[in-house]
Amino acid sequence: MSRIRLIAFLGLLAGLAAVAAILRRPVAPAIGMAPPGGSNHELLTGAAPLRRSSLSDRTRIKSRIPNQAPSSNDSLTALIGSVVAPVQATLSVRMAARIRRVFAREGESVRAGQRIIELDETEFVTQERSALAGELAAEAQVKRARAGLAAQAIKSASDAASSRGALRQAEVRLQQARLALDTAAAEQRADLRAAREAVNKARIADDRARNILKGLEELSTVGGVSRSDLDAARAQQRATRSDLESASDQVARLENGAGGVPFRVAAAQKDVDLAQAGVDQARDALATAEQAGRQIVMVAEQDVDAALAWRTQATAGLRGIQAARAQSRLASPITGLVTGVLARAGETAQPSTPLATVVSLAGLRVDALVPGRLLSLFRGGQSAHVSVDTAPGRVFDAMVSEIARIAEPDGRTFRVKFRLLGTPPLLPGQTARIKVFTSR
């Protein structure tokens, strides 16, 4: 039993020694972000070191941090940061203008809509009148261009309609010429049949007259036919021969003409060829008129587009000048504090050049830079205490709201943002001391 008691006593002594070592453990050194005019090195080395936390200190800090209570594994980490205003407004002008008056000074509190700077409107009025005249001229040009487009469209349609009418007339003449050709061919065939029939009749009559003459000549040898009858038969035979030859000539004339084509058919075919040429010419004229009309209308449409673009540009210029004139009295868009006034009465304000800056005091936060080796100690929602030199003895509650995952340009530190709870009387740009319970 004595050996067991000895072992228990030694274990109790070792536990007490471990508790004493934990109570004597030092607080983490201060790290942070340099405020304007200082460096990180100065802040890290120049901040007042924190004394070792006693049990009563830890209990007091725990009671003042409502969102997180420290545990035996937590340690107090001190940071140096700056108060930042997330919302700010920079006043500038769209057009160069002379500054007439400046109503606000740096450090003054202003409300939303309060006038900060007043500009001279004389140049704005002159430019607005010139821009208005330009817009009216552009509008007149648009009307002229549209009227020209309508006139060209009417003319093009009229020219195309005339060409279509000429084409229809040419097609009618071609149809008539083809009908005449068909008629001439039919008449030619009918006349040729009649002429050939006349040839057959003349040949029969000629054969009969020749046979009669031959019989009379045979009878005349024996004196059985008078001379007068013989002469009459010979005259009749010559007449029938003449009729046959005339009928044959008529057939030849009907069957043959210039180039082996009957004259009447050839003349009708010539009329058809002329009519076809007229149709082809009318079609070409219609295509030319339609193409010319499209080109003329296209040019007129381009004139309208150019006029519309001019009007749009003129209107945009007028609206821009009117908007710039409306800004002749620059007012603060937010309620806050004037942190910078670069405008001076009598000077000329240039476009996009900052004239005054107003920051909102609502939603202030504190930013600090944390070395990468300590970034794992921080997490969202951790509670913190913030203090500034302008409010000695006062501590303001805050909490970790954002931890950057991308390093700062130095490549070694990361930005940690703290959201201030409530509306503490802090100002943007102030250097802040931050105490955070972080897990080891």
Side-chain angles (χ1 to χ4, degrees):
M1 291 297 294
S2 60
R3 181 178 297 179
I4 294 176
R5 290 178 180 176
L6 179 60
I7 293 173
F9 179 73
L10 292 176
L12 178 61
L13 290 178
L16 292 175
V19 170
I22 291 174
L23 293 177
R24 289 194 300 272
R25 186 169 57 186
V27 179
I31 55 177
M33 179 180 68
S39 65
N40 285 336
H41 177 73
E42 293 173 349
L43 292 174
L44 292 174
T45 58
L50 297 176
R51 62 181 177 82
R52 294 180 179 178
S53 303
S54 64
L55 183 59
S56 60
D57 292 335
R58 291 179 181 272
T59 304
R60 183 166 55 253
I61 292 175
K62 174 181 177 182
S63 64
R64 298 178 66 182
I65 301 180
N67 296 322
Q68 177 185 354
S71 66
S72 61
N73 293 326
D74 288 345
S75 63
L76 188 64
T77 301
L79 304 173
I80 299 296
S82 294
V83 179
V84 177
V87 179
Q88 67 178 15
T90 301
L91 304 183
S92 61
V93 296
R94 296 185 180 181
M95 298 178 58
R98 190 176 67 87
I99 300 173
R100 188 174 181 180
R101 294 182 63 184
V102 179
F103 297 95
R105 293 189 299 271
E106 188 171 345
E108 287 187 354
S109 297
V110 294
R111 63 183 182 278
Q114 181 174 338
R115 184 169 53 177
I116 305 297
I117 299 170
E118 180 179 327
L119 304 176
D120 189 355
E121 294 188 18
T122 304
E123 184 64 22
F124 291 134
V125 172
T126 302
Q127 293 184 5
E128 183 177 2
R129 290 175 180 174
S130 177
L132 180 59
E135 185 185 38
L136 294 176
E139 181 64 29
Q141 181 62 26
V142 169
K143 292 180 179 179
R144 287 193 296 269
R146 285 176 172 169
L149 173 60
Q152 292 296 342
I154 293 173
K155 183 178 181 301
S156 299
S158 177
D159 292 343
S162 298
S163 298
R164 291 190 187 94
L167 176 60
R168 286 193 293 270
Q169 292 178 359
E171 289 174 344
V172 170
R173 287 194 293 269
L174 176 59
Q175 185 177 6
Q176 292 174 347
R178 286 174 175 171
L179 291 175
L181 175 60
D182 294 340
T183 301
E187 291 177 352
Q188 171 69 19
R189 289 191 295 270
D191 292 344
L192 184 58
R193 285 195 298 269
R196 286 174 177 171
E197 186 67 24
V199 168
N200 292 332
K201 292 179 178 179
R203 184 176 288 112
I204 292 172
D206 183 63
D207 291 343
R208 184 182 299 112
R210 190 171 54 252
N211 290 333
I212 291 173
L213 177 60
K214 182 178 180 182
L216 292 176
E217 286 178 346
E218 290 177 354
L219 289 176
S220 66
T221 58
V222 295
V225 177
S226 64
R227 187 175 182 83
S228 59
D229 291 336
L230 185 59
D231 292 338
R234 288 174 177 171
Q236 180 65 30
Q237 196 276 328
R238 287 195 296 272
T240 56
R241 170 60 61 179
S242 176
D243 293 338
L244 178 58
E245 291 175 356
S246 297
S248 298
D249 292 340
Q250 179 64 21
V251 171
R253 284 193 299 271
L254 291 174
E255 288 180 342
N256 300 314
V261 179
F263 174 78
R264 184 183 301 175
V265 176
Q269 183 62 50
K270 185 177 181 180
D271 292 340
V272 170
D273 294 341
L274 291 175
Q276 183 63 54
V279 169
D280 295 339
Q281 184 178 1
R283 285 175 179 170
D284 293 341
L286 175 59
T288 301
E290 290 177 343
Q291 183 178 4
R294 287 192 295 269
Q295 292 178 348
I296 292 174
V297 170
M298 182 176 64
V299 171
E301 289 175 345
Q302 291 175 352
D303 292 341
V304 172
D305 293 340
L308 290 173
W310 180 24
R311 185 182 67 179
T312 300
Q313 184 178 1
T315 301
L318 176 60
R319 298 294 180 269
I321 294 173
Q322 290 174 341
R325 183 181 179 184
Q327 288 187 333
S328 60
R329 292 175 175 83
L330 299 179
S332 174
I334 60 175
T335 297
L337 186 70
V338 179
T339 60
V341 179
L342 302 179
R344 298 293 182 271
E347 295 181 351
T348 300
Q350 299 298 329
S352 302
T353 300
L355 299 179
T357 303
V358 180
V359 298
S360 174
L361 299 182
L364 293 178
R365 71 167 191 263
V366 177
D367 289 3
L369 298 183
V370 177
R373 67 180 184 278
L374 301 179
L375 191 64
S376 61
L377 301 178
F378 295 85
R379 65 180 183 274
Q382 286 176 324
S383 296
H385 283 167
V386 175
S387 60
V388 296
D389 292 339
T390 56
R394 298 188 62 181
V395 177
F396 307 102
D397 293 331
M399 62 181 297
V400 176
S401 60
E402 184 178 342
I403 302 174
R405 298 304 176 187
I406 299 177
E408 293 294 305
D410 60 13
R412 297 180 293 105
T413 58
F414 294 79
R415 185 175 299 273
V416 177
K417 299 179 182 180
F418 297 85
R419 181 169 62 87
L420 292 167
L421 305 179
T423 56
L426 302 180
L427 297 177
Q430 285 184 307
T431 300
R433 292 179 175 84
I434 311 163
K435 297 178 182 179
V436 190
F437 278 110
T438 53
S439 299
R440 291 289 182 177

